Amino acid sequence: MGYRIEKDTMGEMQVPDNKYWAAQTQRSVENFPIGTEKMPEEVIIGFAHLKKACAIVNNDLKRLDNNKTHAIIQACEEVIQGKLEGNFPLVVWQTGSGTQSNMNMNEVIANRSIEILGEDFRVKKLVHPNDDVNKGQSSNDTYPTAMRISFVLEIQKQLFPAIKLLKNTFEKKSNEFKNIVKIGRTHLQDATPLTLGQELSAYVDMLNKAENQLNDSMKYICELAIGGTAVGTGLNSHPEFSNMVCKVLNEKTDTNFDFVSHPNKFHALTSHDGEVFLSGALNALASNLMKIANDIRWLASGPRCGIGEINIPENEPGSSIMPGKVNPTQCEAMTMVSVQVMGNHSTVSISASQGNFELNVFKPVIAYNILQSIRLLSDTIVSFNNNCAIGITPNLNNINKYLNDSLMLVTALNPYIGYENAAKIAKTAHKNGTTLKEEALKLGLLTEEEFNKYVKPEEMTYPKK
């Protein structure tokens, strides 16, 4: 691989000759050899959408000529389509404003634009990364804008469809199992009956709430910092630039949400409470997924020495030493993802608290963690749905055994013989290893006919007048 010389305000740098980036990108590559976490591809694509919109607006404002505009637009489209992959080498652990990633994008777009215009970017600098691609912008307003664009695109493309998929599966299962009466459990102890369909219906509502919370967070995430430039004043940007860029983004990006100019650019640059709100919604979803996964693996535990009220698909061997063992692996994967997302939320919350004066300088780590959460949640929900949830079936033998053995059916007797007498029946039955009916008759509190009339598990699953 050969090298060429590129210059910036700091002097000359040797840059790989087969790459479109230039001196500022190379400085970052050499100055930040930290970790393996690269700037997320989603942020790169968000930047490309933004730079494209900015070029269109600058052209409309007569600040950028037609040839440069068309070349920049084409270069941005190539980034969006993945044609310039390999030209964005920077890590997350760089300057906290994301300046170097902004300049990486500016340099790549500029050099590719020169090539599109028919010149060799190594020789003739027809398009300048700062003066043309970054016109009317600062890293301080472009990076937070690009990352918010990426959040919206990824949530719409990946997470909402995933949630809908699993919600639909649980809706079908809830309806399918609506007449299967089983024992309930509270405090990990026997409780009164419910149907298996009712139990699964809670998961449907959890996922509905997750959709609503994510939709609520979009109100804040769609407020964009672009136009604030360095400190929020909009220096070197046209007064209408921000609104115009948002309008173009709404026209050119396929989203169900409307991007708007942030009403206070000083807030937009220095605070990321909107990201905390979004991360909180992701955290709440993770909490519910943890609960769902734990319920499913407990209910499927066994197959002979656990609860075993449901069956889940047997996808792969579960042990390298125990033949025939099968584990609830999809549940385990989803719980691990949930823990990671909860940790990401802590990182986002702490990072967002670190805005000093006119700028928060934890932007890349905020972007990285939120995008990882979106990606992991989307992937694990789809995997859990396809490899576990759709294959859930009831184990009626165990369900009926536990239901008939449960002492908590005695709760149905409260209105007829009172709490104290009902408790006496339950405790005596438990002590003697007998049934509720046997002890109710021995204690003379009920006749067999009365017991059979009052204790009907299927009638304990809904309120009665």
Side-chain angles (χ1 to χ4, degrees):
M1 178 179 67
Y3 290 86
R4 68 180 190 275
I5 299 298
E6 290 276 1
K7 297 179 180 179
D8 62 8
T9 58
M10 301 288 290
E12 294 184 345
M13 291 292 293
Q14 274 194 331
V15 177
D17 200 36
N18 63 341
K19 301 297 183 182
Y20 287 111
W21 73 67
Q24 291 205 45
T25 301
Q26 189 63 32
R27 289 187 191 282
S28 185
V29 169
E30 296 179 11
N31 289 337
F32 296 93
I34 304 171
T36 59
E37 295 82 6
K38 301 295 184 182
M39 188 59 58
E41 179 186 2
E42 298 91 340
V43 173
I44 303 302
I45 292 173
F47 257 122
H49 281 293
L50 176 60
K51 296 297 178 179
K52 175 183 171 182
C54 289
I56 292 171
V57 171
N58 279 322
N59 181 254
D60 289 343
L61 293 171
K62 310 301 182 187
R63 292 185 165 193
L64 191 66
D65 68 49
N66 290 338
N67 288 336
K68 289 181 179 180
T69 299
H70 293 150
I72 290 171
I73 289 172
Q74 182 179 329
C76 290
E77 285 293 343
E78 290 179 4
V79 174
I80 293 167
Q81 295 163 13
K83 294 180 179 179
L84 300 184
E85 186 179 2
N87 281 282
F88 304 98
L90 303 189
V91 295
V92 171
W93 320 109
Q94 53 168 277
T95 181
S97 61
T99 297
Q100 288 137 11
S101 281
N102 180 46
M103 283 308 303
N104 180 200
M105 178 62 64
N106 291 335
E107 290 176 342
V108 171
I109 295 300
N111 284 340
R112 176 61 186 133
S113 296
I114 294 168
E115 208 171 55
I116 291 168
L117 291 171
E119 297 290 347
D120 186 345
F121 64 84
R122 299 165 185 82
V123 178
K124 204 166 185 178
K125 300 296 187 183
L126 291 181
V127 180
H128 195 279
N130 297 82
D131 297 338
D132 297 318
V133 184
N134 200 61
K135 184 179 287 292
Q137 306 152 57
S138 163
S139 299
N140 295 352
D141 66 349
T142 59
Y143 191 93
T145 299
M147 73 183 193
R148 286 194 168 186
I149 293 170
S150 73
F151 300 157
V152 173
L153 292 176
E154 289 305 299
I155 287 172
Q156 178 172 290
K157 181 174 70 175
Q158 304 289 348
L159 190 52
F160 278 136
I163 293 172
K164 183 177 181 180
L165 181 70
L166 185 57
K167 182 176 69 172
N168 288 344
T169 294
F170 278 129
E171 282 179 333
K172 291 176 184 176
K173 294 292 179 181
S174 179
N175 187 60
E176 183 182 349
F177 304 151
K178 65 182 179 182
N179 294 321
I180 299 176
V181 182
K182 65 181 291 291
I183 200 64
R185 294 178 180 85
T186 59
H187 305 270
L188 296 180
Q189 306 294 307
D190 300 349
T192 55
L194 76 167
T195 70
L196 184 56
Q198 288 172 326
E199 194 163 44
L200 298 186
S201 74
Y203 309 156
V204 178
D205 198 50
M206 290 176 194
L207 295 168
N208 266 326
K209 294 298 192 298
E211 286 182 311
N212 293 338
Q213 289 168 348
L214 286 166
N215 271 309
D216 289 344
S217 72
M218 289 299 100
K219 173 185 176 182
Y220 303 101
I221 294 302
C222 285
E223 293 180 340
L224 303 184
I226 192 68
T229 64
V231 298
T233 61
L235 178 66
N236 290 352
S237 183
H238 189 279
E240 293 303 314
F241 185 72
S242 183
N243 286 326
M244 292 174 71
V245 168
C246 290
K247 181 180 178 182
V248 173
L249 284 170
N250 290 330
E251 293 170 353
K252 302 294 183 180
T253 57
D254 183 21
T255 74
N256 297 325
F257 303 96
D258 288 331
F259 294 111
V260 297
S261 176
H262 198 295
N264 188 302
K265 301 298 188 296
F266 307 101
H267 177 187
L269 270 58
T270 194
S271 176
H272 289 298
D273 46 354
E275 279 73 10
V276 177
F277 192 164
L278 169 58
S279 184
L282 298 172
N283 189 64
L285 173 59
S287 296
N288 282 334
L289 293 178
M290 175 73 83
K291 184 266 189 296
I292 291 170
N294 278 333
D295 279 3
I296 296 301
R297 62 177 170 179
W298 272 108
L299 290 173
S301 61
R304 294 190 175 181
C305 301
I307 294 175
E309 288 186 340
I310 63 172
N311 308 305
I312 58 176
E314 298 181 350
N315 296 325
E316 61 272 316
S319 173
S320 61
I321 190 173
M322 293 176 280
K325 193 173 192 296
V326 179
N327 296 330
T329 52
Q330 291 295 320
C331 296
E332 291 167 6
M334 195 152 79
T335 55
M336 286 192 289
V337 165
S338 297
V339 169
Q340 182 66 47
V341 172
M342 293 173 192
N344 288 352
H345 180 53
S346 294
T347 298
V348 171
S349 300
I350 296 169
S351 298
S353 74
Q354 298 302 302
N356 295 319
F357 304 114
E358 279 65 61
L359 187 67
N360 176 289
V361 291
F362 285 70
K363 299 183 194 299
V365 74
I366 291 173
Y368 178 82
N369 279 272
I370 289 179
L371 286 167
Q372 185 190 61
S373 292
I374 294 170
R375 190 182 314 115
L376 288 176
L377 288 169
S378 302
D379 289 350
T380 197
I381 289 171
V382 172
S383 182
F384 178 82
N385 179 80
N386 295 345
N387 297 304
C388 182
I390 60 175
I392 292 173
T393 59
N395 185 333
L396 295 177
N397 287 335
N398 281 353
I399 286 174
N400 291 329
K401 178 182 183 299
Y402 295 141
L403 178 64
N404 293 326
D405 286 350
S406 174
L407 299 174
M408 290 304 101
L409 297 182
V410 78
T411 307
L413 298 177
N414 285 0
Y416 307 104
I417 62 173
Y419 182 93
E420 298 292 341
N421 284 329
K424 183 185 293 184
I425 292 173
K427 289 181 178 180
T428 306
H430 180 54
K431 179 181 178 181
N432 296 335
T434 54
T435 66
L436 293 174
K437 182 189 289 188
E438 287 174 324
E439 294 304 332
L441 299 182
K442 283 182 183 178
L443 292 168
L445 294 171
L446 290 163
T447 66
E448 183 173 2
E449 181 182 2
E450 288 174 326
F451 186 93
N452 292 337
K453 178 181 178 181
Y454 300 147
V455 182
K456 294 181 178 180
E458 66 276 9
E459 293 185 2
M460 298 175 68
T461 61
Y462 53 86
K464 291 187 292 185
K465 291 183 180 179

